[in-house]
Amino acid sequence: MGPLLLAGAGLALLAMTQSAQAHVKWFAPYIVGAPPEPVASTLGNSWFWIGIALVLVFFGITRAIERSRYGDIALDILDRVTEPLWRRLDDYMRAIIGAFFVAIFAVGGVYLTPDLKTPAEWVSWIQLAIAAMIFSRRTMPIAGLGIIALWLLALRDYDLFHLFDYLALGLGVAAYLILEPSRRENWRVHRIEALRWGLAIALMWSSLEKFAFPSWFYPLVVEKPFLTFGLPRDVFIPMAGVTEFTLGLGLVWTPLIRRLSAIALLVIFTAAVWPFGRVDLIGHGLIMAILLAVAADQSRETHFLPEFKRKIRHIPLGVAAAFVLYGSAYWGLHFAFYGPDGYVGPAVVDKATHSHSPEYPHGPQSGEIGAPPSK
């Protein structure tokens, strides 16, 4: 157990930097088109770099263990613990995906996730039909295509940039449902990998909100100050963003790193259920299920850039490259969609309390949540 305890110490250190991880759009005001904070604000934040340093220590220790004679021991221990789930993994995933769509049907009035609201009642019935189709292997691919169709339908009511939050995960689940019943084993073997990559990309993308729009999180910190473990707000938020981004990246790294990253994220998301309740459980239930599947995945192969990922010295390069790639895409696409001054027109959700002026895009309540007060 020594190797797992050593890596687990680094894992716990990371988890301490990010308590309950709720999707801010479900609980706090926001305007997607508001101008984001400049990238220089993040790069000049010392707490961002401290978070990066903690992550590099965790990844480096874990990879060193994985390369040593203790690596196989650690993976064997995880295999034994998760063996019952691994033997029935596809049954488990089909049941969880089906249950998720039943829950979304029961909530009603949403596309796929709590913040994508719709008055169209028939959307809920489509989601119930998707749940029903998952329990037959013949109709599972139709269910997968149905998920993609619902995402496309949401484009009628929501900006494409907003829907990018849910694109990768939706495609990952859809790919799983299409690949799992396939008779071509060379395709089917990638079904869990599709889930893992979809979730990893989704987490890395959504984590950038904490750098681009930290003020979205201020109301949550005011309402639930215990979430920060006593850390100041402007310390906690960037470190939480680093944690979510890098553990998401960890899901597509080497076997031990991805399994321990999944366990750390599972602890974080599970912790969110108590303070945020049923909405968080429904919204994140599918994510938590996929994380458990990743933790149970006994595959010891690394398909994408395996030689690069095997070297410890490449970990900082990989983290840096991922931040540059996703950061460029996030800020670049926001600029392309909304322009340099952003779009601060009418709010699209009833929870939004932001003002709609370019001078104060973060609104009349900003004085209460720590941003500059309105004149």
Side-chain angles (χ1 to χ4, degrees):
M1 290 294 290
L4 281 182
L5 289 175
L6 183 59
L11 182 151
L13 187 62
L14 281 177
M16 283 294 291
T17 68
Q18 182 177 3
S19 67
Q21 173 58 44
H23 196 300
V24 70
K25 290 191 178 77
W26 301 347
F27 302 102
Y30 69 94
I31 289 179
V32 174
E37 295 291 323
V39 175
S41 296
T42 296
L43 297 180
N45 189 321
S46 59
W47 296 106
F48 170 81
W49 294 107
I50 291 173
I52 292 292
L54 290 172
V55 167
L56 294 179
V57 169
F58 165 59
F59 279 16
I61 290 174
T62 305
R63 184 63 193 132
I65 293 171
E66 193 172 13
R67 291 176 54 178
S68 73
R69 63 190 180 90
Y70 297 108
D72 286 337
I73 296 174
L75 289 169
D76 288 341
I77 292 171
L78 288 172
D79 287 350
R80 285 197 297 272
V81 171
T82 60
E83 179 67 23
L85 177 61
W86 176 245
R87 289 200 303 265
R88 300 291 301 274
L89 193 63
D90 288 309
D91 293 338
Y92 160 79
M93 282 308 310
R94 291 169 66 188
I96 290 293
I97 296 170
F100 170 78
F101 279 99
V102 169
I104 289 294
F105 163 77
V107 169
V110 298
Y111 294 105
L112 298 172
T113 186
D115 78 296
L116 300 180
K117 300 184 184 302
T118 175
E121 181 66 18
W122 54 268
V123 171
S124 296
W125 291 98
I126 288 179
Q127 290 171 137
L128 183 62
I130 288 174
M133 286 187 288
I134 288 169
F135 291 94
S136 169
R137 293 174 64 86
R138 292 182 178 181
T139 55
M140 281 175 65
I142 301 174
L145 295 175
I147 294 172
I148 298 172
L150 281 175
W151 186 89
L152 292 172
L153 283 170
L155 285 171
R156 303 180 312 158
D157 302 320
Y158 293 91
D159 290 352
L160 178 59
F161 188 86
H162 185 174
L163 292 180
F164 282 155
D165 283 1
Y166 310 106
L167 177 60
L169 181 59
L171 288 176
V173 175
Y176 172 83
L177 294 174
I178 292 169
L179 292 173
E180 198 281 331
S182 175
R183 295 180 180 178
R184 298 187 178 186
E185 189 57 32
N186 60 326
W187 289 12
R188 187 175 182 271
V189 73
H190 296 295
R191 65 197 185 283
I192 303 300
E193 191 174 6
L195 284 173
R196 184 160 50 81
W197 272 91
L199 179 55
I201 293 170
L203 289 174
M204 287 189 282
W205 181 265
S206 64
S207 72
L208 298 177
E209 291 176 349
K210 294 180 176 66
F211 310 116
F213 301 104
S215 61
W216 289 0
F217 297 82
Y218 294 168
L220 288 181
V221 172
V222 171
E223 182 182 351
K224 303 178 187 295
F226 59 87
L227 295 177
T228 69
F229 288 120
L231 293 173
R233 179 194 68 195
D234 294 326
V235 172
F236 171 76
I237 292 173
M239 294 187 75
V242 169
T243 302
E244 185 178 354
F245 185 94
T246 53
L247 290 181
L249 179 63
L251 295 179
V252 294
W253 214 257
T254 52
L256 187 59
I257 289 178
R258 68 189 183 222
R259 293 176 81 170
L260 291 182
S261 294
I263 292 169
L265 285 164
L266 184 61
V267 170
I268 291 167
F269 279 106
T270 302
V273 174
W274 172 65
F276 293 102
R278 288 182 300 167
V279 171
D280 191 83
L281 178 60
I282 292 171
H284 282 150
L286 187 55
I287 291 175
M288 293 159 63
I290 296 171
L291 289 171
L292 193 55
V294 174
D297 185 1
Q298 296 187 6
S299 170
R300 300 193 181 183
E301 296 182 12
T302 303
H303 291 111
F304 183 69
L305 300 176
E307 293 302 321
F308 179 86
K309 293 175 182 175
R310 288 190 183 112
K311 294 180 172 60
I312 295 176
R313 69 176 182 272
H314 289 166
I315 290 174
L317 294 176
V319 171
F323 267 112
V324 169
L325 175 64
Y326 281 81
S328 299
Y330 193 96
W331 269 264
L333 286 171
H334 195 283
F335 180 89
F337 276 91
Y338 303 111
D341 298 323
Y343 171 72
V344 287
V348 296
V349 293
D350 55 8
K351 289 184 180 180
T353 58
H354 297 45
S355 68
H356 306 142
S357 70
E359 186 178 4
Y360 294 109
H362 300 297
Q365 293 188 3
S366 60
E368 301 174 13
I369 58 178
S374 300
K375 293 181 181 178

